[in-house]
Amino acid sequence: MDIFETLNDMQREAVMCTEGPLLILAGAGSGKTKTLTNRIAYLIEECEVNPWNILAITFTNKAAGEMRERVDRMIEFGSEQIWVTTFHTTCMRILRRHIDKLGYDNNYTIYDTDDQKSVVKNICKRLNIDTKIYKEAKLLKAISSAKDELISPPEYQLTSAGDYHRQIYANVYREYQDTLKRSNALDFDDIIVLTVELFREFPEVLSSYQERFRYIMVDEYQDTNTAQFELIRLLADKYKNLCVVGDDDQSIYKFRGANIRNILDFERVYPNATVIKLEQNYRSTQCILDAANSVIHNNQGRKDKSLWTDKGEGERIGFRQFDNAYEEAEYIADDIADRIKHGSNYSDFAVLYRTNAQARLLEEQMVIGGVPYNVVGGTNFYSRMEIKDILAYLKTIDNGRDEVALRRIINVPKRGIGASSIDKLAAYANAQDITLFEAMEQAESVGGISRSLKNILSFVQEINVYRSSLPTYGISKLIKVIIERTKYEDYLRDYDIDSADDRIENVDELITKAVGYEESHDNPSLSEFLEEIALVADIDNVEDGDNRVLLMTLHSAKGLEFPNVYLSGMEDGLFPSYMSIVDDDKDSLEEERRLAYVGITRAMEHLTLTCAKARMIRGETQYNAVSRFVREIPSELLDNTTPDLRKTSDQRKMEEFLRNGLGLKTELKMENYGSSIKSGATRANNYNMGAQKRPALHEYQSVQSTAGKKPDYNEGDRVSHMRFGDGVVLSISKEPRDYKVTVEFDNVGTKVMYAGFAKLKKL
């Protein structure tokens, strides 16, 4: 088959450009994988390059496997000698041969997350570091970030001089790396970092691989971090035949260490680089592409390109605004069911959202509407660990006979009740023909559990307090009390700091569910609430087969495509988040915009954008404007333009107020403030453009009643925040409107905020 038979002009040019550095800017749906595989075939068949002189690197095993299959189909002889692999697999193959030069044995082991946590835990114990302040997961995240940037323990120590808290991190990093080397062990970051070190310190090893890999191709280049960039730079340094393929407009993994500057600065690193743009899209209609182009063109940090297609204009984009999130979810489920009647398959649909917590209402409406679905990149909302934990507490409170629920939470968070003590309690319960909880109530009569006795009785008392408090608190407040008393949020951060925020948002969504239940029932009861959830949670497999609607976060959707896509929750404050709106650093907002671009370009034929005027977060109703990403789409591309899309002077004033009046430079989320200022500042994000009655600006200014007053605490003092907990004041500086305070919180890291708004209390 002719290599060029199915390629367009720009793809053909990219395939034939084989010598020197090449940047292929491959827009969404532009056929980059086909271009790469055809380029490999062209090198071998037309340029007579030896297969073993080619290295093709991508990020995931799945992507590498797909590329390998395509290469094998195109190249009959010698394809097995081409390295088509991931970054980590490439480096592991190199280290297995040469790691002894770095002082390791070649039979090294690789530590997983649990192993890493165990190492850090022992280090903290040895160095007398309080893990209530310096969480193990947080320490590991800092170490990983340093390795991504190729910062060694000595360099980290040097840059931490004079900073007490960073010195703690530096000491742990040093001990951590020493421990791993003594154990002849690597973590996943080391696999890349040590390969770079090997190449830097042993030029003869680097030279051998430079000769081996004379032609290098890197896919998804926008997702590389600094260590991966340096690895590729070193390998390609001799022959400079480096082809990188990526799309800066789809760089959405900064939280994983991705450095967008790698692709944006490619021409600075390689001044003689050829740049080829793949802008013809084979996925979407022109209307969808025009919407994507109009949104992403608002970003400043990008390479200029515009997607186009010959598929035709297509339908205009659907835009629907609802009074609340329930109506939004109901509409999406009903609209899918209606389109199914007209010949579509369930697998033709995807519903995308910014945060996992949004899935709960969507799942429930899919069940009610009889629409089969799967949650991608996660599990059913009610099957998630954190939701099952809280529901287990509620089940134990409601029904002490539920042994499964009791066993789940007896040590969540840890209470020092050992497995052997639980087994002895269970044996006693069986012998006495009573429940496990009743056996715990009679723990003083059970032999062999003296070490756990105090903790067992304390747990029993805790559950009984919850039971007696239920009539007073109600379900939603009881959940909040459980979370507070058990310090469950701290537990989630200790469990996995990277997923903690998402898990906390899911728990908040469960609280919202409880509030909704209480408001819709005259005589709400915990038993009925749990039954209602069970009816939804148990309907997981509506029907067999893969013909299901997919629900997923925008991050999970990258690389996928669907005939019909719904982008839900398109509201300022949710997407983009308030954190990105009020942050002084424009990079976070630009990454949110790239995420919107990724979502829009998943749609092939039909795209619907939905939002709600009011959305309940943690049991509090919040009011949000239509997302600026919707407003950036020309009205002629939408099928339903409303006055809500006009940016009013009220909104501009409110945005200015958020930036300058509150002056937050922090990861605070506005939707969480409602509990403390429900009637006033909760409405600070209520600048919804379609609102018939907007509060005047002076109503928001009540939040600043203490602004400008010098705080009653000083640098080094311990303080407490209503949401973030306890921490240490690192610095206080006078600003024109208020005092700016930087606090290192025990559980959530460093936050910068204004004193008048933060309302910190000195401990």
Side-chain angles (χ1 to χ4, degrees):
M1 185 183 74
D2 184 355
I3 289 176
F4 299 121
E5 186 177 332
T6 61
L7 301 179
N8 64 39
D9 291 344
M10 300 311 293
Q11 290 173 332
R12 189 176 299 112
E13 183 179 342
V15 167
M16 295 178 66
C17 182
T18 60
E19 305 304 309
L22 170 64
L23 169 60
I24 302 176
L25 291 171
S30 62
K32 66 180 177 66
T33 303
K34 180 169 72 172
T35 302
L36 275 178
T37 52
N38 277 273
R39 191 172 188 273
I40 293 172
Y42 181 79
L43 283 168
I44 295 172
E45 296 177 13
E46 301 296 329
C47 302
E48 298 183 348
V49 173
N50 295 317
W52 57 84
N53 288 144
I54 298 173
L55 170 64
I57 294 183
T58 189
F59 273 81
T60 66
N61 290 321
K62 180 182 178 183
E66 291 173 354
M67 189 180 296
R68 163 61 67 188
E69 288 179 9
R70 293 197 191 190
V71 169
D72 289 345
R73 285 198 301 267
M74 294 188 71
I75 303 169
E76 295 181 359
F77 177 75
S79 66
E80 72 281 355
Q81 299 178 72
I82 305 169
W83 281 29
V84 181
T85 182
T86 65
F87 274 98
H88 284 93
T89 302
T90 299
C91 291
M92 284 172 65
R93 291 172 73 172
I94 294 170
L95 290 175
R96 285 293 178 194
R97 292 187 60 187
H98 303 288
I99 198 171
D100 58 302
K101 295 179 181 296
L102 298 174
Y104 292 81
D105 291 337
N106 292 90
N107 61 337
Y108 60 83
T109 58
I110 297 174
Y111 278 179
D112 61 17
T113 303
D114 288 338
D115 295 329
Q116 292 175 270
K117 286 182 177 178
S118 178
V119 171
V120 171
K121 183 177 181 179
N122 291 333
I123 289 170
C124 289
K125 186 176 182 180
R126 189 165 68 247
L127 298 181
N128 293 318
I129 294 172
D130 188 350
T131 53
K132 292 181 180 179
I133 298 176
Y134 299 96
K135 303 292 185 181
E136 293 150 12
K138 190 176 172 185
L139 290 164
L140 280 170
K141 187 173 181 64
I143 292 170
S144 178
S145 296
K147 291 183 179 183
D148 284 348
E149 295 298 319
L150 291 175
I151 300 172
S152 66
E155 290 171 325
Y156 198 98
Q157 194 94 39
L158 189 63
T159 59
S160 302
D163 186 324
Y164 173 78
H165 296 282
R166 278 182 60 84
Q167 279 290 325
I168 297 291
Y169 285 87
N171 292 338
V172 173
Y173 184 13
R174 182 193 66 244
E175 292 291 321
Y176 172 83
Q177 210 57 32
D178 288 347
T179 301
L180 260 61
K181 190 162 188 178
R182 285 196 304 271
S183 304
N184 197 42
L186 282 60
D187 63 22
F188 280 95
D189 295 314
D190 286 331
I191 295 171
I192 309 292
V193 172
L194 291 181
T195 307
V196 171
E197 184 180 334
L198 176 72
F199 286 163
R200 285 175 171 177
E201 294 189 12
F202 299 92
E204 70 281 7
V205 176
L206 173 60
S207 179
S208 68
Y209 284 101
Q210 288 174 336
E211 288 296 329
R212 171 70 189 269
F213 302 124
R214 298 188 180 194
Y215 293 86
I216 300 172
M217 281 164 273
V218 183
D219 194 14
E220 303 288 3
Y221 191 66
Q222 76 280 348
D223 294 335
T224 54
N225 60 33
T226 300
Q228 290 161 339
F229 163 82
E230 181 64 7
L231 174 76
I232 295 301
R233 188 194 67 78
L234 288 167
L235 279 172
D237 195 47
K238 184 171 184 178
Y239 290 99
K240 301 289 196 300
N241 295 326
L242 172 62
C243 168
V244 300
V245 185
D247 183 6
D248 52 300
D249 289 335
Q250 297 187 74
S251 178
I252 58 174
Y253 295 121
K254 184 179 179 181
F255 67 95
R256 293 182 186 169
N259 184 354
I260 193 174
R261 300 311 312 179
N262 290 347
I263 191 167
L264 293 180
D265 294 342
F266 188 80
E267 295 150 277
R268 181 183 61 79
V269 178
Y270 300 99
N272 62 333
T274 300
V275 180
I276 297 174
K277 299 178 183 179
L278 304 185
E279 297 173 293
Q280 182 175 357
N281 177 282
Y282 292 92
R283 174 187 300 157
S284 308
T285 64
Q286 191 60 53
C287 183
I288 291 170
L289 297 180
D290 287 344
N293 290 332
S294 65
V295 171
I296 202 63
H297 283 169
N298 288 279
N299 272 5
Q300 297 177 16
R302 66 184 296 269
K303 302 277 191 180
D304 184 51
K305 54 189 170 298
S306 293
L307 298 178
W308 62 275
T309 185
D310 57 11
K311 289 182 65 174
E313 287 298 317
E315 298 179 40
R316 286 195 293 175
I317 294 166
F319 170 66
R320 302 289 183 272
Q321 185 180 33
F322 301 91
D323 286 336
N324 54 61
Y326 179 90
E327 291 179 3
E328 177 192 37
E330 184 180 44
Y331 167 80
I332 291 173
D334 289 348
D335 194 54
I336 292 172
D338 184 62
R339 290 176 182 272
I340 293 297
K341 294 175 184 176
H342 292 83
S344 295
N345 295 314
Y346 290 112
S347 57
D348 294 336
F349 296 85
V351 185
L352 311 182
Y353 37 81
R354 182 64 182 86
T355 67
N356 277 312
Q358 292 171 251
R360 196 266 302 175
L361 275 177
L362 291 164
E363 288 186 65
E364 292 189 0
Q365 289 305 311
M366 295 295 168
V367 171
I368 292 171
V371 177
Y373 71 92
N374 269 338
V375 179
V376 177
T379 55
N380 175 292
F381 179 82
Y382 293 107
S383 298
R384 293 180 175 126
M385 178 197 81
E386 61 276 13
I387 302 303
K388 291 177 73 71
D389 285 347
I390 301 303
L391 289 178
Y393 269 101
L394 296 180
K395 290 175 182 178
T396 302
I397 293 164
D398 184 58
N399 173 20
R401 291 173 296 180
D402 189 335
E403 186 170 327
V404 173
L406 176 59
R407 281 180 176 270
R408 182 180 184 90
I409 49 94
I410 196 169
N411 263 318
V412 175
K414 290 182 179 179
R415 294 185 172 85
I417 303 174
S420 84
S421 294
I422 296 173
D423 290 343
K424 289 171 183 176
L425 286 165
Y428 178 83
N430 289 333
Q432 299 295 320
D433 195 23
I434 57 177
T435 67
L436 179 60
F437 189 81
E438 289 171 332
M440 294 179 72
E441 290 179 308
Q442 301 173 25
E444 291 174 315
S445 302
V446 181
I449 61 169
S450 57
R451 293 181 62 183
S452 299
L453 180 59
K454 181 180 177 181
N455 295 329
I456 293 168
L457 295 177
S458 177
F459 174 74
V460 169
Q461 182 183 18
E462 183 180 345
I463 295 298
N464 286 330
V465 168
Y466 293 148
R467 284 176 179 164
S468 62
S469 302
L470 178 61
T472 303
Y473 287 150
I475 301 167
S476 58
K477 188 174 181 182
L478 179 62
I479 296 174
K480 294 180 183 179
V481 170
I482 292 170
I483 294 167
E484 181 180 349
R485 288 194 56 164
T486 62
K487 297 184 178 179
Y488 188 71
E489 291 188 2
D490 291 349
Y491 165 76
L492 291 177
R493 290 191 176 91
D494 287 342
Y495 181 81
D496 181 4
I497 194 168
D498 290 332
S499 67
D501 286 343
D502 278 347
R503 293 183 186 278
I504 290 168
E505 285 180 352
N506 290 335
V507 174
D508 289 346
E509 183 62 21
L510 181 64
I511 295 171
T512 294
K513 166 69 178 177
V515 171
Y517 166 78
E518 289 169 327
E519 291 179 349
S520 61
H521 290 71
D522 293 332
N523 297 300
S525 73
L526 181 56
S527 296
E528 189 179 39
F529 174 70
L530 292 170
E531 287 174 6
E532 188 173 296
I533 285 178
L535 289 174
V536 176
D538 286 347
I539 307 176
D540 190 21
N541 297 314
V542 180
E543 62 180 50
D544 294 330
D546 296 323
N547 189 24
R548 297 166 179 268
V549 175
L550 296 184
L551 311 182
M552 69 185 84
T553 64
L554 285 152
H555 282 100
S556 298
K558 188 172 179 291
L560 304 177
E561 58 184 36
F562 305 90
N564 305 278
V565 170
Y566 298 82
L567 292 188
S568 62
M570 297 297 291
E571 303 142 30
D572 269 3
L574 185 59
F575 186 40
S577 67
Y578 271 106
M579 177 182 68
S580 63
I581 293 173
V582 303
D583 199 326
D584 292 339
D585 184 2
K586 69 178 178 62
D587 290 348
S588 57
L589 181 58
E590 293 210 348
E591 177 144 342
E592 291 275 290
R593 186 174 282 109
R594 292 194 291 271
L595 195 55
Y597 173 84
V598 167
I600 292 170
T601 54
R602 299 312 94 195
M604 301 166 67
E605 299 167 8
H606 182 78
L607 172 67
T608 301
L609 310 174
T610 64
C611 61
K613 295 178 180 178
R615 188 175 297 271
M616 193 173 285
I617 306 291
R618 197 178 171 85
E620 300 286 348
T621 301
Q622 309 296 326
Y623 301 86
N624 297 316
V626 175
S627 171
R628 62 196 60 208
F629 301 149
V630 178
R631 302 196 304 269
E632 289 168 355
I633 299 174
S635 59
E636 60 267 21
L637 299 179
L638 302 174
D639 70 351
N640 180 33
T641 57
T642 74
D644 291 324
L645 292 180
R646 292 197 303 269
K647 191 167 182 177
T648 66
S649 60
D650 280 3
Q651 185 179 0
R652 286 192 292 271
K653 288 178 183 177
M654 192 60 235
E655 290 180 1
E656 183 68 16
F657 172 71
L658 284 170
R659 290 190 182 91
N660 299 327
L662 299 182
L664 295 180
K665 185 181 179 184
T666 177
E667 293 182 2
L668 290 174
K669 294 186 178 179
M670 292 294 293
E671 60 263 35
N672 293 319
Y673 297 158
S675 60
S676 64
I677 39 179
K678 186 172 182 181
S679 63
T682 305
R683 302 168 67 187
N685 57 356
N686 182 12
Y687 51 101
N688 186 37
M689 293 168 289
Q692 295 182 356
K693 181 180 179 182
R694 299 184 185 90
L697 192 59
H698 69 80
E699 292 185 50
Y700 307 128
Q701 293 171 341
S702 61
V703 242
Q704 300 187 84
S705 58
T706 61
K709 296 180 181 178
K710 191 176 188 312
D712 62 354
Y713 44 81
N714 298 302
E715 293 181 7
D717 285 347
R718 296 278 297 172
V719 293
S720 177
H721 184 274
M722 57 179 283
R723 174 166 173 75
F724 297 138
D726 299 343
V728 177
V729 178
L730 300 181
S731 66
I732 303 173
S733 60
K734 182 73 173 71
E735 298 287 321
R737 294 176 180 270
D738 199 357
Y739 283 85
K740 185 190 291 184
V741 184
T742 303
V743 181
E744 173 77 18
F745 286 101
D746 298 346
N747 297 321
V748 298
T750 303
K751 304 291 180 184
V752 183
M753 62 198 77
Y754 277 87
F757 190 81
K759 295 187 169 72
L760 297 168
K761 293 183 179 179
K762 182 177 178 179
L763 297 177

